[in-house]
Amino acid sequence: METKISIRVDEFTKNQLETFAQNESKTLSTYVRELLNDHVRLDLYEDEYEVLESYVPSEYPKEYCIDIKPEFEKSYGFTFLLTWLFAKGMNNTCTCSKDNLRDLKVLVESVIEFSSFSNELKMEFVKVLNDINRVLVEANNSSKQFYFSIANHQGSFNYYLLMSEVWSVKY
């Protein structure tokens, strides 16, 4: 369930936020909501992030500039994602809330962008990402299903490639 909050900011901050929102083709409300949600989620997974010391754009305070650690595939978030992927292999019905799906989406995007996996495996995660996006925009009904976990489906995820690469990670 979503709730409403009101905040006061100076005019410069409001104008900057409006500019950022326009650059992403979003409303100010949507942009600020996503910004706050992302910030809260980063705090939940703070052990998987580190502050960038070498390069911080001058227009952003240093504490807002983060980078995923290079060993993302050894993190709790990745383990959680693996568990979910294999659970969907057993039951492809969507039982998650939209907030949980958004959290999973962030984890899948992190694998694609920051993991050391092959491009071939990253493309498999793109299938999962596309499926999550599809489920997020579908009308609410009780029979939502993920297609990436259905064998022989055109959008099937290659679990064997995933297992092969995960097992080859050196700890």
Side-chain angles (χ1 to χ4, degrees):
M1 170 176 252
E2 291 186 1
T3 186
K4 180 180 177 181
I5 62 172
S6 298
I7 59 172
R8 293 189 187 278
V9 296
D10 58 54
E11 192 163 337
F12 173 79
T13 302
K14 181 182 180 234
N15 291 339
Q16 287 299 106
L17 288 170
E18 285 175 337
T19 300
F20 295 147
Q22 286 174 350
N23 290 343
E24 294 189 23
S25 301
K26 297 178 181 177
T27 65
L28 177 60
S29 180
T30 299
Y31 182 79
V32 171
R33 181 176 32 259
E34 289 175 359
L35 194 66
L36 290 171
N37 284 338
D38 289 348
H39 182 74
V40 168
R41 286 186 180 95
L42 289 177
D43 282 350
L44 291 175
Y45 301 109
E46 72 181 15
D47 60 329
E48 297 172 20
Y49 301 93
E50 60 187 11
V51 176
L52 284 175
E53 299 295 335
S54 58
Y55 174 72
V56 178
S58 59
E59 65 268 24
Y60 296 107
K62 190 174 270 192
E63 61 269 16
Y64 293 116
C65 298
I66 54 140
D67 190 25
I68 304 270
K69 291 181 180 178
E71 300 102 17
F72 175 75
E73 57 271 22
K74 297 177 186 176
S75 69
Y76 168 80
F78 183 66
T79 303
F80 180 85
L81 177 61
L82 283 181
T83 305
W84 180 79
L85 284 171
F86 282 99
K88 291 299 111 190
M90 293 184 286
N91 178 0
N92 69 340
T93 304
C94 177
T95 56
C96 299
S97 70
K98 285 196 175 197
D99 284 338
N100 289 346
L101 281 177
R102 287 185 196 106
D103 289 341
L104 287 162
K105 179 180 172 178
V106 169
L107 291 173
V108 172
E109 289 170 337
S110 296
V111 170
I112 294 166
E113 190 169 349
F114 301 110
S115 76
S116 62
F117 293 128
S118 69
N119 285 337
E120 184 180 5
L121 182 55
K122 289 180 180 185
M123 290 308 294
E124 293 298 313
F125 278 98
V126 170
K127 293 176 186 177
V128 176
L129 181 60
N130 289 338
D131 216 10
I132 291 173
N133 285 330
R134 178 190 54 79
V135 169
L136 280 170
V137 298
E138 272 184 356
N140 286 336
N141 63 45
S142 59
S143 62
K144 286 186 183 181
Q145 294 183 337
F146 291 101
Y147 299 144
F148 73 84
S149 59
I150 299 173
N152 300 320
H153 187 275
Q154 66 183 11
S156 292
F157 183 80
N158 186 340
Y159 285 95
Y160 296 107
L161 179 61
L162 173 65
M163 289 185 296
S164 173
E165 290 201 29
V166 166
W167 289 340
S168 71
V169 172
K170 303 292 182 220
Y171 292 94

